[in-house]
Amino acid sequence: MTFIYQLSLKVLNKVFYSSEQYEERRYFNPQKLSDVRYEKLPFCMRVLLESTIRKCDGFYIKTDDVSSILAWQKQQNQAEVAFSPARVLLQDFTGIPAMVDLAAMRDALAKQGVDPNLVNPRCPTDLIVDHSLQIDYSKCAIQGPPSPMDESHGATVRSPACQPSPRGSSSSSGSHCAGQRPGHRGGCSKASCSDAPSGRSAAVQIENTPLLCPFHLQPVSEPETMIRNQEMELIRNKERLQFFKWCSKAFKNINVVPPDINTVHQLNLEYLCQVVQEGEGFIYPDSVVGTDSHTTMINGLGILGWGVGGIESEAVMLGQPVSLTLPQVVGCKLVGTINPLATSIDIVLGITKHLRQAGIGGKFVEFFGPGVQQLSAPDRTTIANMCPEYNATVSFFPVDDITLQHFKHTICSEEKLVVLEDYLKAIKLFRSYGDQSEEPQYSEVIEMNLSSIVPHVSGPKRPQDRVAVTCMKEDFINCLNEKVGFKGFHISKEKQATQVPFLHEGAEYNLAHGSVVIAAVISCTNNCNPSVMLAAGLLAKKAVEAGLMVKPYIRTSLVPGGGTVTHYLNTSGVLPYLRKLGFEVVGYGCATCVGNTAPLPESVVDAIKQGDLVACGVLSGNRHLEGRLCDCVRANYLASPPLVVAYAIAGTVSIDLETEPLGVNSEGKDVYLRDIWPSKEEVNHTEENIVIASMFKELRSRMEKGSTFWNSLESAESALFPWDPKSTYIRCPSFFSKLSKEVCTPQSIEGAYPLLFLGDKVTTDHISPAGSIARVSAAAKYLQSKRLTPREFNSYGARRGNDAVMTRGTFASIKLQNRLIGKTGPKTLHIPSGQTLDVFEAAERYQRDGVPLIILAGKEYGSGSSRDWAAKGPYLLGVRAVIAESFEKIHWNHLVGMGIAPLQFLPGQNADSLELCGKERFTINIPQELIPRQQLIVQMSTGKSFSVMALFENDMDVAFFRHGGILKYVARSLLP
């Protein structure tokens, strides 16, 4: 301990200011170690080093960790170090199970005679309630029928005029209120219907046209759409919100941000991030871990952060450091000049593809080079947000002059800026691209020429499958021809020209392959970047002025990340034009991206099913896995916000935007994309005049005040949460049911059956869906047994505080492909009886018979969003191990955190090469003295055996596995 004290004393430093108005600050300065290796470290490694020095206590964080980071060049991919982030970030979908677990831990310790008030977050924690919004009300395109178009564009209008829906009509609205299933969209205004000449749109008149709620059949004015959605959110989630309110009072060191304030990432960027933190008399670099894989967005501002599971975040909240293997750091050198037509989304997707092809899985990426200075701070956060899509752990942009300029308009006072700049320069964390001597040493360098980037979309099933906009039509046709797979749909040649007529609001349309039925400008990826959102608004303005429109059956929505976006869209004057095209603000939160979109009009669904059509969704999000937006929408494309609007106007993705018109204007002339695409100068001029400091100050005030509903919400005042046995939202989980002080030695897994036999790329969406609860699912049966109707089911994400729902929802995806039954769906084979059952029912039988379970899988098991229930669910189903060819790193950490063994086939081996049929019984021999990365023997009932690698990275992983997971490990540490 003497050496640790001397180390701290050696690097302790003070910074003084010549001006008397600023106080003295103390900080730890790694340069005082007088080690020449420090200035050669990548900037992200310097942040790790500072934290390790400051938190070095000889127990969790040791001096060996400091030495390992300094020797990073030799220790990368070898040494394990402990890292204590400055704060933890939770969103409600993943935050509620974390807080329920802490509440349950309080109960378990109280039963052991321990003061429950000892269970509190030790690391500052922010919980943002932003994932509970659903689109119950939405605004359709209020307009007359579009001009007739070529049928190859997917939808042709045959009725010359659109009539208002009569009172009581089944096609009254595409939005709905409590108790009513969404159906068709609402009536049209006189200005846009009755006055419109045949085949033409009327003169542009934007007015406040009412929507009709089909349940009450009362008009809902356009600006009220957001308010109604928020009211439904609060009513639907009252139990959850009361629990969060209890958490805000019962637990210390936690800040709960109520709903309808902002999305988690936007709030992190605009309000919570500090770059330099102050606490306990010191200043130090900000850093964060969050329960969402897109926490990485914050790295765009020079703040080190990444996503962890809810399980790991709970450990950090309770004082445990994050354990990580010193990563390789790839330097991404950006050169060249950005194409004027390329948006930040094009740059994001270009870098995504470039880095994915470079094979940087599990590595840190740090950007440098002259091209970095062309990227604004919002551009950088957009790029950093997507790093999970190219499998990097972190995409880091060091703080530079552009970052400082950004903070002048957002979170920093003058004094804060001075402290920030002086401190970062003092410890060599400020980047100056003009000084070549500052170049760090990287594990490898990848160069990318920004001038090579052209506008792209991504799809139709995976974000890494990029398609140049100029090749979109050709590529979609190729997708129809290809066999079913990551891109193909296998539509026969004779059926590719199929068109299905249908009626919507009194007019007849045609749907074809490629028809757009969902268009959503949404997601934390884009709304943090004013340029792309303003570009969408300016394009909408030009489109409306040119007489273009969106078909009324297309499910359009605009879900910004926060009030900042709405503010500048409204102030810039483009929001009314977005509304005119149907893109109205429906609320704040994650909606379409996580499957919280209202059903399509029944006539549209029927037409899609009748023609077996490959209908399309286009969104400006970051995820578009097949079936996530809507079961009947098979092709989904990620695109920049202005392209989402453009494809919505076209009504199809099967269009060449360079040579084919989007539509016809009021004079009968063709209108092309180039005619309405805003120039970079227009966008920049609007951005400079709109995105100003006053907006952020206003929003900060709004966030701090909260909402009237939240402020008046009642909740318990007790140290222990009063569990309601009738609640279907909040339920005390069984993780601590057999908690004891003693730790059992690891037990071999004997005679296990495979619960599932899966292929490649099984995502966390397959394992633990976050969207709606199907009426025929095991979770639905449970909720119906509690006397809930389907309209009251809500979503899996909203019910993550109820282990009974989430366990039944495990492997409930309709897209799950289980080789034991040979078809898609949430079913499996109960091997002893030969019956095909719901996965939950089969697992329940196995547990009743005392039979352990395993899962067999292929490559990239657990890829996709960070989701703790993708590990908790299998644990409660009785799964003891997962044997796969490879794992998503975050997910395998989750499995370890729940006491499930992640086992990897040896190189060159898989289930097929070992001739596994999936019906064998498996015995996995686990030694009492288990060590990291140990090979284990798996014996089968056939008499054969094979070896697997146990993916325990370090002694801490082994300790978690021995204890039965992180939660029990932490709880036992509090027992006397």
Side-chain angles (χ1 to χ4, degrees):
M1 293 298 293
T2 302
F3 179 74
I4 297 168
Y5 172 76
Q6 290 175 344
L7 172 68
S8 299
L9 192 63
K10 184 176 182 180
V11 298
L12 186 62
N13 204 350
K14 296 181 180 181
V15 58
F16 298 89
Y17 298 100
S18 56
S19 173
E20 295 181 357
Q21 71 182 102
Y22 300 136
E23 296 179 359
E24 171 186 302
R25 264 85 170 183
R26 296 190 302 165
Y27 63 94
F28 290 92
N29 190 349
Q31 290 193 97
K32 292 290 185 176
L33 294 174
S34 301
D35 195 313
V36 295
R37 294 175 295 178
Y38 176 70
E39 293 189 17
K40 293 300 181 182
L41 289 176
F43 283 73
C44 54
M45 288 296 101
R46 298 180 197 182
V47 177
L48 279 180
L49 179 63
E50 188 281 338
S51 173
T52 305
I53 292 172
R54 179 168 38 85
K55 290 289 188 177
C56 186
D57 61 1
F59 181 66
Y60 288 121
I61 300 178
K62 303 177 182 179
T63 54
D64 287 346
D65 294 328
V66 175
S67 299
S68 294
I69 297 175
L70 282 169
W72 166 79
Q73 280 287 359
K74 296 180 179 179
Q75 295 291 332
Q76 54 186 297
N77 277 351
Q78 297 181 29
E80 291 289 328
V81 297
F83 170 57
S84 291
R87 54 192 175 90
V88 176
L89 184 68
L90 307 175
Q91 44 95 334
D92 56 318
F93 267 20
T94 49
I96 193 166
M99 299 311 301
V100 166
D101 290 345
L102 293 188
M105 188 184 295
R106 279 193 167 192
D107 278 14
L109 291 174
K111 292 176 183 177
Q112 300 276 353
V114 178
D115 182 2
N117 289 303
L118 293 177
V119 179
N120 283 298
R122 296 177 184 175
C123 182
T125 301
D126 296 290
L127 193 159
I128 290 83
V129 185
D130 77 325
H131 272 50
S132 56
L133 176 70
Q134 294 189 36
I135 304 175
D136 295 291
Y137 295 86
S138 64
K139 177 70 169 64
C140 73
I142 304 300
Q143 57 198 21
S147 301
M149 295 176 61
D150 188 291
E151 293 189 355
S152 64
H153 280 194
T156 304
V157 181
R158 295 185 180 174
S159 174
C162 173
Q163 299 298 324
S165 299
R167 184 176 179 86
S169 168
S170 62
S171 62
S172 58
S173 178
S175 310
H176 67 286
C177 66
Q180 180 67 28
R181 183 178 183 275
H184 304 290
R185 296 192 180 184
C188 301
S189 67
K190 292 181 180 179
S192 58
C193 286
S194 57
D195 294 338
S198 176
R200 300 272 177 85
S201 63
V204 177
Q205 293 186 27
I206 299 174
E207 59 181 59
N208 185 26
T209 307
L211 303 174
L212 290 180
C213 165
F215 186 61
H216 297 113
L217 296 178
Q218 297 295 322
V220 181
S221 65
E222 197 170 303
E224 290 184 28
T225 306
M226 179 179 70
I227 297 173
R228 293 300 181 91
N229 278 314
Q230 291 173 347
E231 288 175 349
M232 286 299 301
E233 177 186 7
L234 299 176
I235 294 169
R236 182 184 287 120
N237 295 285
K238 186 176 181 180
E239 282 186 55
R240 298 170 66 244
L241 297 178
Q242 285 177 322
F243 174 73
F244 285 137
K245 189 71 175 284
W246 173 80
C247 290
S248 68
K249 295 187 292 184
F251 291 104
K252 299 177 182 178
N253 217 17
I254 188 164
N255 170 45
V256 178
V257 179
D260 300 322
I261 299 296
N262 223 320
T263 62
V264 58
H265 308 304
Q266 198 78 8
L267 191 59
N268 194 21
L269 292 172
E270 296 176 6
Y271 182 65
L272 301 175
C273 73
Q274 298 296 316
V275 184
V276 173
Q277 292 274 8
E278 294 194 43
E280 300 179 355
F282 293 93
I283 56 175
Y284 51 91
D286 192 8
S287 57
V288 62
V289 293
T291 56
D292 189 287
S293 57
H294 292 278
T295 302
T296 53
M297 194 175 201
I298 201 67
N299 290 279
L301 298 180
I303 298 169
L304 187 63
W306 62 85
V308 297
I311 304 163
E312 292 169 292
S313 68
E314 291 171 48
V316 176
M317 290 163 63
L318 293 171
Q320 304 287 321
V322 175
S323 179
L324 74 155
T325 304
L326 275 179
Q328 289 182 290
V329 181
V330 177
C332 185
K333 186 175 184 179
L334 302 181
V335 298
T337 304
I338 298 174
N339 186 316
L341 293 180
T343 68
S344 63
I345 304 306
D346 299 314
I347 298 169
V348 166
L349 296 178
I351 291 175
T352 297
K353 183 176 182 179
H354 193 73
L355 293 178
R356 181 179 283 273
Q357 290 174 342
I360 58 166
K363 301 176 184 178
F364 281 23
V365 176
E366 186 167 292
F367 291 88
F368 74 107
V372 174
Q373 294 175 291
Q374 298 179 57
L375 303 176
S376 66
D379 287 336
R380 299 176 188 190
T381 57
T382 307
I383 293 168
N385 177 74
M386 291 294 280
C387 85
E389 307 304 339
Y390 43 84
N391 291 328
T393 303
V394 158
S395 290
F396 193 74
F397 288 84
V399 175
D400 62 5
D401 289 326
I402 292 175
T403 318
L404 291 182
Q405 288 296 322
H406 172 75
F407 283 125
K408 285 183 180 179
H409 296 297
T410 55
I411 66 171
C412 285
S413 62
E414 181 182 349
E415 178 182 359
K416 177 75 174 180
L417 278 171
V418 172
V419 173
L420 188 156
E421 183 174 359
D422 284 1
Y423 168 66
L424 293 180
K425 287 181 177 179
I427 63 170
K428 296 288 186 179
L429 280 178
F430 189 87
R431 193 71 157 94
S432 175
Y433 293 100
D435 188 352
Q436 296 297 320
S437 65
E438 288 190 1
E439 294 295 335
Q441 293 179 351
Y442 296 106
S443 305
E444 61 177 305
V445 173
I446 298 173
E447 184 172 297
M448 183 170 187
N449 193 329
L450 296 176
S451 61
S452 66
I453 296 175
V454 295
H456 280 75
V457 296
S458 179
K461 300 181 182 182
R462 305 186 303 174
Q464 64 264 37
D465 296 325
R466 299 175 66 235
V467 184
V469 172
T470 54
C471 303
M472 181 62 169
K473 184 174 183 178
E474 178 185 357
D475 186 82
F476 181 75
I477 294 172
N478 290 337
C479 290
L480 296 181
N481 291 326
E482 289 183 17
K483 292 181 179 180
V484 175
F486 295 136
K487 289 202 69 171
F489 299 102
H490 198 55
I491 304 297
S492 61
K493 291 282 188 181
E494 59 272 14
K495 292 185 178 180
Q496 290 183 16
T498 299
Q499 295 204 18
V500 181
F502 69 99
L503 287 175
H504 181 77
E505 297 179 352
E508 184 175 324
Y509 301 87
N510 277 358
L511 282 184
H513 294 293
S515 291
V516 173
V517 293
I518 296 176
V521 176
I522 187 173
S523 168
C524 53
T525 304
N526 306 305
N527 56 42
C528 71
N529 195 322
S531 64
V532 291
M533 296 297 285
L534 288 172
L538 292 170
L539 186 143
K541 180 176 184 291
K542 291 188 173 186
V544 172
E545 290 171 345
L548 300 180
M549 56 201 67
V550 175
K551 285 75 177 175
Y553 60 81
I554 296 176
R555 180 71 68 194
T556 51
S557 61
L558 171 58
V559 185
T564 303
V565 183
T566 305
H567 184 92
Y568 67 66
L569 289 177
N570 188 54
T571 307
S572 63
V574 299
L575 193 57
Y577 296 93
L578 285 165
R579 287 175 181 161
K580 178 68 178 176
L581 295 181
F583 294 95
E584 183 188 356
V585 176
V586 297
Y588 302 108
C590 290
T592 305
C593 277
V594 293
N596 289 349
T597 188
L600 297 174
E602 292 183 8
S603 57
V604 173
V605 175
D606 292 343
I608 293 171
K609 291 180 178 179
Q610 179 184 336
D612 190 27
L613 300 176
V614 180
C616 299
V618 187
L619 71 154
S620 58
N622 51 50
R623 289 289 167 87
H624 61 352
L625 301 172
E626 186 178 8
R628 179 182 258 201
L629 302 189
C630 182
D631 293 347
C632 61
V633 180
R634 286 189 276 172
N636 297 296
Y637 289 90
L638 301 183
S640 64
L643 281 177
V644 171
V645 177
Y647 279 115
I649 294 169
T652 180
V653 300
S654 187
I655 179 176
D656 185 335
L657 292 176
E658 279 195 338
T659 62
E660 297 180 65
L662 295 177
V664 179
N665 67 12
S666 57
E667 299 175 355
K669 295 181 179 180
D670 290 340
V671 179
Y672 294 84
L673 179 62
R674 58 179 174 270
D675 298 327
I676 61 173
W677 188 271
S679 68
K680 192 172 183 180
E681 290 72 24
E682 288 178 277
V683 174
N684 288 342
H685 175 77
T686 306
E687 182 177 5
E688 289 171 4
N689 285 273
I690 302 302
V691 184
I692 55 177
S694 61
M695 293 191 310
F696 291 95
K697 290 179 181 178
E698 178 185 343
L699 288 172
R700 283 172 63 83
S701 173
R702 176 172 170 262
M703 287 184 281
E704 290 168 356
K705 289 179 181 178
S707 66
T708 303
F709 177 89
W710 176 261
N711 294 336
S712 62
L713 189 65
E714 296 181 357
S715 63
E717 301 286 343
S718 56
L720 298 176
F721 183 70
W723 307 99
D724 181 358
K726 296 180 181 179
S727 174
T728 57
Y729 278 99
I730 309 296
R731 187 173 183 264
C732 187
S734 57
F735 301 131
F736 304 98
S737 59
K738 297 181 180 180
L739 182 66
S740 62
K741 183 68 176 177
E742 297 75 26
V743 182
C744 298
T745 57
Q747 301 293 315
S748 294
I749 302 170
E750 299 184 359
Y753 274 120
L755 178 62
L756 296 158
F757 188 6
L758 305 171
D760 296 339
K761 294 188 179 294
V762 174
T763 70
T764 51
D765 272 343
H766 292 117
I767 303 170
S768 183
S772 59
I773 299 173
R775 297 189 179 195
V776 295
S777 65
K781 294 175 185 176
Y782 167 80
L783 293 173
Q784 287 170 337
S785 74
K786 300 294 183 181
R787 298 185 178 181
L788 268 66
T789 61
R791 74 184 186 193
E792 298 169 310
F793 285 175
N794 211 327
S795 66
Y796 283 112
R799 294 192 180 274
R800 285 185 179 180
N802 186 321
D803 62 317
V805 172
M806 297 307 297
T807 305
R808 287 165 173 80
T810 304
F811 297 110
S813 170
I814 60 170
K815 298 297 181 181
L816 186 71
Q817 294 184 334
N818 181 9
R819 293 172 63 176
L820 290 178
I821 59 173
K823 59 182 180 181
T824 60
K827 301 284 185 179
T828 194
L829 179 68
H830 181 254
I831 298 171
S833 67
Q835 290 181 283
T836 298
L837 304 171
D838 285 337
V839 174
F840 173 78
E841 293 174 355
E844 198 173 35
R845 283 199 190 183
Y846 283 122
Q847 290 195 70
R848 189 169 59 239
D849 296 336
V851 178
L853 297 171
I854 65 170
I855 291 171
L856 298 174
K859 298 174 183 177
E860 298 183 39
Y861 179 80
S863 57
S865 299
S866 159
R867 197 162 293 169
D868 61 334
W869 269 109
K872 289 179 177 178
Y875 171 82
L876 293 177
L877 289 177
V879 174
R880 298 282 307 281
V882 178
I883 305 177
E885 284 188 71
S886 64
F887 292 83
E888 165 74 27
K889 188 177 187 300
I890 290 178
H891 183 65
W892 107 46
N893 287 336
H894 290 189
L895 294 175
V896 173
M898 286 309 302
I900 297 175
L903 308 177
Q904 186 169 295
F905 290 111
L906 297 184
Q909 293 185 350
N910 57 33
D912 292 331
S913 68
L914 294 170
E915 298 181 347
L916 305 182
C917 71
K919 297 181 182 180
E920 305 91 344
R921 299 195 76 166
F922 296 79
T923 295
I924 303 169
N925 298 308
I926 300 178
Q928 292 188 1
E929 299 300 326
L930 183 65
I931 61 175
R933 292 280 176 176
Q934 186 171 358
Q935 285 194 18
L936 306 179
I937 302 297
V938 181
Q939 296 175 321
M940 296 184 291
S941 55
T942 60
K944 296 181 179 180
S945 65
F946 60 94
S947 296
V948 293
M949 178 71 72
L951 297 182
F952 302 116
E953 289 192 302
N954 48 52
D955 291 337
M956 187 63 73
D957 279 358
V958 173
F960 290 157
F961 181 70
R962 286 169 54 86
H963 279 262
I966 291 178
L967 295 176
K968 290 182 179 178
Y969 175 87
V970 173
R972 284 193 178 99
S973 70
L974 297 173
L975 289 176

